[in-house]
Amino acid sequence: MTARRDAPAAPGRTALVTGASSGIGEATARLLAAAGTHVLLHGRDRDRLAALAAETGGTALDADLADPEAAAELAERALAVTGRVDTLVNNAGLGWAGPLTELAPEHLTRLVTVNLTAPLELTRALLPGMLARGHGRIVFVTSIAGRTGVAGEAVYAATKSGLDAFADSLRFELHGTGVEVGVVVPGVVRTAFFERRGKPYARTTPKPVSAQRVAAAVVRAAERPCDYYVPRWLRLPVALRGAVPGTYRALATRFGAES
């Protein structure tokens, strides 16, 4: 596939950030706006989105991505505001912790829809415009859970692993088009995520990192697309799992691989 390549200075003139009403998305939106990007702010909390839009000069687009139609509608609304999306940050996500047998069917569906289906749908909807212009950035915020597996979070880990596979495949598909893909792989982040999933983070190590630190990696992933681990030492368990999977599984089973 070929396309004209005349990429502007990254991260782009207009960015859609999902999950921008709190945490990593909120911090990312602030950084992008400070760099001169017009931010389209997605989230479910209308009041927080309105306040952030007033602060950043962005545009609030509230939606619940658990609705199967919401992702396509969000893409349409985003394009109606500015006519283009140069950078898509797929950040919105839900968590749930506990034995798989205790996960209600409707919540399983919600996890898969928000964490996996919605980013795929948004990407599919916004990609044609990027290809037509010959430039674009798509950033996925995944999780170390998707690269190593986490006990008690099987469905969450599966959705993040799916995003990883999608991002890699898309990179190959888009090679040479001017549209590039970045991935940010956070570990434990100091946000309301753990309270919302129904189980606070109780381990002493690893220590949570700030949402601002992850947001800085998201902006780097838009500027220079590749994989970014936050913190960087998370590459080590991933490398161990790839090199000696049996040893990794034995250690994870013995010492606990849950958060």
Side-chain angles (χ1 to χ4, degrees):
M1 119 184 16
T2 59
R4 181 173 56 87
R5 182 170 185 142
D6 57 351
R13 292 179 283 270
T14 301
L16 172 60
V17 181
T18 66
S21 54
S22 65
I24 296 168
E26 181 179 4
T28 298
R30 287 197 173 99
L31 289 178
L32 290 171
T37 300
H38 181 83
V39 284
L40 304 171
L41 308 164
H42 159 266
R44 290 183 296 161
D45 190 320
R46 291 185 179 182
D47 292 339
R48 290 181 66 95
L49 282 182
L52 186 60
E55 174 189 336
T56 60
T59 304
L61 299 171
D62 65 282
D64 185 354
L65 292 179
D67 179 346
E69 307 298 325
E73 292 173 359
L74 176 60
E76 290 180 5
R77 291 167 62 197
L79 292 173
V81 174
T82 59
R84 62 188 294 156
V85 172
D86 300 292
T87 300
L88 169 61
V89 178
N90 284 303
N91 165 73
L94 298 175
W96 189 87
L100 180 61
T101 53
E102 295 178 9
L103 177 61
E106 61 272 16
H107 201 82
L108 187 154
T109 299
R110 186 176 179 85
L111 281 170
V112 174
T113 303
V114 173
N115 293 3
L116 183 58
T117 306
L120 269 60
E121 288 285 1
L122 276 172
T123 301
R124 184 187 63 81
L126 296 174
L127 181 58
M130 295 181 181
L131 289 172
R133 292 186 295 274
H135 61 78
R137 299 291 186 270
I138 303 169
V139 180
F140 297 92
V141 179
T142 65
S143 170
I144 191 62
R147 300 207 170 184
T148 61
V150 179
E153 297 185 72
V155 176
Y156 173 77
T159 62
K160 294 300 185 176
S161 181
L163 272 189
D164 269 333
F166 179 69
D168 260 350
S169 299
L170 199 60
R171 279 173 173 153
F172 303 146
E173 181 177 328
L174 298 177
H175 178 71
T177 66
V179 182
E180 298 183 72
V181 175
V183 176
V184 176
V185 187
V188 184
V189 187
R190 196 162 49 249
T191 68
F193 172 85
F194 290 96
E195 286 72 20
R196 290 172 180 165
R197 75 173 185 174
K199 180 182 178 182
Y201 182 71
R203 299 182 61 168
T204 56
T205 58
K207 293 183 178 180
V209 300
S210 69
Q212 290 74 20
R213 184 172 172 184
V214 182
V218 172
V219 174
R220 287 197 299 274
E223 294 172 341
R224 297 181 295 279
C226 64
D227 284 11
Y228 293 85
Y229 288 84
V230 186
R232 286 185 291 181
W233 65 260
L234 288 176
R235 294 177 180 273
L236 297 177
V238 175
L240 178 64
R241 182 176 184 267
V244 283
T247 300
Y248 173 83
R249 292 190 185 105
L251 291 171
T253 301
R254 180 177 179 183
F255 295 106
E258 62 178 279
S259 59

